[in-house]
Amino acid sequence: MSRIITELPISPMTLGLTIRWRDQAERLLAYAEPVSRIGLYVSLAIIYAWFGGMKFTDYEAQGLVPLVENSPLLSWFYAVFSVRGFSTFLGFVELSIGLLIALRLVSPFFSAAGGLLSAGLFVTTLSFMVSTPGVVVPELGVPAITVAPGQFLLKDVGLFAASFWVFADSLKSVIHK
């Protein structure tokens, strides 16, 4: 069947439209790709600056309690730090990750480290989907999840993917230097 399709004559007009469409798409990609790359780095850095800055407030520290105290990975932190102390520590971590990602302007080595740390942080927060009570809507069952904490945590799937992309993109730049 593929032989039949390849032997069908293509009109010069169709061929011309296809070539012009591809040329226009190539021109668009020449601008869109670097803009989207910058946008991804900047958006992650802004998210980390905002979330990290909020960790210094009591409001945010108290909001972390149900997530952290039920986590087999992180609950031990409350034996070492107070609720506010852990939130402050996490704020410094998040601000540092955001800074590393933003330092792509200086060196891709920094943003590769930031992307990897960010991906690890989002794997950790996604583990809260399993350990935090109230993620699933009991009367509806899985896959129905609550707005908070369920949907709040689910966004981290996309943020994990963006973080891992930043890691891979930055590492590619480090290797090709």
Side-chain angles (χ1 to χ4, degrees):
M1 177 141 186
S2 64
R3 187 173 150 223
I4 294 171
I5 292 172
T6 58
E7 291 178 4
L8 290 175
I10 298 175
S11 72
M13 185 173 151
T14 304
L15 184 59
L17 287 173
T18 302
I19 291 170
R20 277 183 278 178
W21 178 86
R22 285 186 176 165
D23 288 344
Q24 292 300 321
E26 289 286 337
R27 283 191 202 108
L28 176 64
L29 283 174
Y31 294 102
E33 192 172 1
V35 167
S36 63
R37 175 176 281 114
I38 291 166
L40 190 58
Y41 281 87
V42 168
S43 66
L44 271 177
I46 289 170
I47 288 168
Y48 271 110
W50 206 310
F51 284 4
M54 285 295 297
K55 296 297 186 285
F56 295 94
T57 67
D58 188 57
Y59 171 81
E60 185 74 11
Q62 296 307 318
L64 293 174
V65 171
L67 302 170
V68 175
E69 73 182 1
N70 290 295
S71 170
L73 298 174
L74 299 180
S75 60
W76 62 271
F77 270 104
Y78 285 153
V80 177
F81 295 110
S82 66
V83 168
R84 283 296 298 269
F86 173 71
S87 188
T88 299
F89 167 74
L90 188 56
F92 282 117
V93 169
E94 290 181 354
L95 289 172
S96 299
I97 291 171
L99 179 62
L100 285 169
I101 291 169
L103 284 174
R104 174 69 165 93
L105 298 169
V106 175
S107 169
F109 178 79
F110 293 118
S111 56
L116 186 59
L117 289 168
S118 180
L121 187 66
F122 287 119
V123 165
T124 303
T125 61
L126 283 168
S127 74
F128 297 157
M129 294 280 293
V130 178
S131 63
T132 305
V135 170
V136 175
V137 178
E139 55 274 9
L140 298 177
V142 177
I145 57 176
T146 57
V147 173
Q151 292 176 27
F152 169 76
L153 293 170
L154 189 61
K155 73 172 176 359
D156 291 354
V157 172
L159 291 170
F160 165 77
S163 299
F164 199 75
W165 186 90
V166 163
F167 165 67
D169 182 64
S170 299
L171 186 60
K172 184 169 60 173
S173 293
V174 168
I175 291 169
H176 291 130
K177 268 192 167 186

